[in-house]
Amino acid sequence: MTLEPKPMFRKAIYPFYDSEKACIIIFIIMLLMLLFGIAGMSAASEDVQYAGYIWVPALLSILSLAVLISTSVRLIRHYRNRISK
């Protein structure tokens, strides 16, 4: 007796972070973090005393941009799948 690949009595588990609302919230938060990192780089570059610490807001900007791109791709897939149905 073999198991069915998709049994009818079970719902597929849909991860919370892959929902459209969660993606939009993450997109907005990461956009704000990107702007905060850019402002931090601007402030650190103006003062010679903090020039050595410009890597902190730069790292924050790079990481938030990576998450922003990932979330954008996920949202585009959601909308593309919605249109194709």
Side-chain angles (χ1 to χ4, degrees):
M1 180 187 229
T2 61
L3 295 174
E4 294 181 32
K6 293 183 181 179
M8 295 299 285
F9 59 88
R10 263 192 202 165
K11 287 185 177 182
I13 298 173
Y14 192 68
F16 73 93
Y17 58 86
D18 201 23
S19 69
E20 189 174 333
K21 288 181 185 179
C23 285
I24 290 172
I25 291 170
I26 291 171
F27 185 85
I28 291 170
I29 291 172
M30 287 301 119
L31 188 61
L32 291 173
M33 294 301 284
L34 178 65
L35 294 174
F36 184 70
I38 291 171
M41 286 189 294
S42 172
S45 65
E46 289 176 2
D47 195 356
V48 178
Q49 182 180 1
Y50 299 117
Y53 298 106
I54 201 166
W55 65 270
V56 176
L59 181 64
L60 178 68
S61 297
I62 290 169
L63 293 175
S64 65
L65 187 64
V67 173
L68 194 65
I69 291 170
S70 166
T71 306
S72 298
V73 168
R74 192 171 280 174
L75 275 173
I76 289 169
R77 285 182 186 163
H78 276 288
Y79 287 126
R80 191 176 55 198
N81 288 339
R82 182 185 289 176
I83 291 172
S84 67
K85 287 183 180 180

